[in-house]
Amino acid sequence: MAERKHSKKLQGQVAIITGGGRGIGAAAANLLASAGANVVLTARSEDQIEAAARQIRRAGARAIAVPCDVTNPEQIEEVVEAALTQFDRVDILVNNAGIIWPVEQVYEADPEEWAYNIHCNLVGPFQLARNVLPVMIDQGYGRILNVTSGAAENVSPGWSAYCAAKAGLNMLTRCLAAELQADGVTGVTVNALAPGMVDTEMQADIRSIDTHDSSLDFSRFHEAHRQGTLLNPESAARLIYWLVGPWSRERSGEIFSRADTHWLEKVEQDLT
């Protein structure tokens, strides 16, 4: 197994994973923990992250669960403080928490709901990066990975908040990397991953949207589900593992995509 071969690549490192209670976040937490990392799981659902942390601990690794709404700066500070108190350092940040709502025409969208999407998908990752970067710079080592989406580049009617937030997240990724390079900071990288359509509860939510008498078209999501082409969370976790592991040390300020077959071949070569 690839995970067995590289089981100690993250030995002693500390990873904060947002949206860690299910889907991509939980799968990434399991894989990084199996590679030797101590894991800090955070999400709004305390029950889910605690269950995920228990599973990791039962497997012999170290994990804690810290509830947090990433739109709340004070709660974000508490997550980072908990990581430092428990493990003394932060090596990896995976900004995975995200929401899709509202999925409506702009003139019909609730302004507060629209703004909350931006805060969750863009401002939250900014706040988290802002809190961990001083630690990483002081350590001389760090990996920040933002989970983005093809929606950052593809126009989808009804998805204005999500598309705008993910486009902003891509630019935030590039700007943070450029700032570190301009300051002569080495050892700390910032990248983003667009994993494609992954079989998560978010995808199920998308398929549940009633588009009757609407101009919104979500047929591609239903078709991907019917054809069985959705990526499983464990496969997405492998891409995350590569990006926060030693294989990406020379890469920063890049937006990696599942659509890049050349990169996927390298991931499989390195992890097999």
Side-chain angles (χ1 to χ4, degrees), residues 208-223:
S208 73
I209 296 172
D210 183 7
T211 58
H212 183 66
D213 294 331
S214 169
S215 61
L216 306 182
D217 180 13
F218 298 147
S219 59
R220 67 186 185 278
F221 300 103
H222 293 276
E223 190 62 25

Side-chain angles (χ1 to χ4, degrees), residues 131-254:
N131 275 271
V132 302
L133 272 172
V135 178
M136 292 179 172
I137 292 170
D138 186 59
Q139 293 171 169
Y141 183 88
R143 299 284 184 267
I144 296 177
L145 180 64
N146 298 318
V147 178
T148 184
S149 167
E153 299 179 359
N154 300 309
V155 176
S156 296
W159 293 66
S160 61
Y162 189 77
C163 289
K166 292 301 185 180
L169 186 61
N170 284 5
M171 188 55 73
L172 175 64
T173 299
R174 296 186 178 108
C175 286
L176 284 177
E179 288 175 1
L180 292 171
Q181 182 180 25
D183 288 344
V185 175
T186 59
V188 181
T189 66
V190 187
N191 290 298
L193 168 67
M197 292 188 190
V198 182
D199 192 8
T200 62
E201 289 188 29
M202 182 181 287
Q203 279 290 322
D205 285 345
I206 294 170
R207 295 193 302 274
S208 73
I209 296 172
D210 183 7
T211 58
H212 183 66
D213 294 331
S214 169
S215 61
L216 306 182
D217 180 13
F218 298 147
S219 59
R220 67 186 185 278
F221 300 103
H222 293 276
E223 190 62 25
H225 183 254
R226 281 194 296 269
Q227 293 182 357
T229 57
L230 293 173
L231 187 70
N232 63 56
E234 290 72 25
S235 295
R238 283 170 60 82
L239 304 182
I240 291 173
Y241 179 33
W242 190 93
L243 285 165
V244 301
W247 309 278
S248 66
R249 63 173 64 90
E250 304 298 330
R251 315 290 289 268
S252 191
E254 299 185 45

Side-chain angles (χ1 to χ4, degrees), residues 37-60:
N38 303 310
V39 178
V40 180
L41 293 168
T42 184
R44 288 178 294 180
S45 174
E46 184 172 3
D47 290 345
Q48 287 184 347
I49 55 174
E50 185 52 53
R54 279 198 305 270
Q55 180 179 342
I56 290 171
R57 291 193 292 266
R58 281 196 294 266

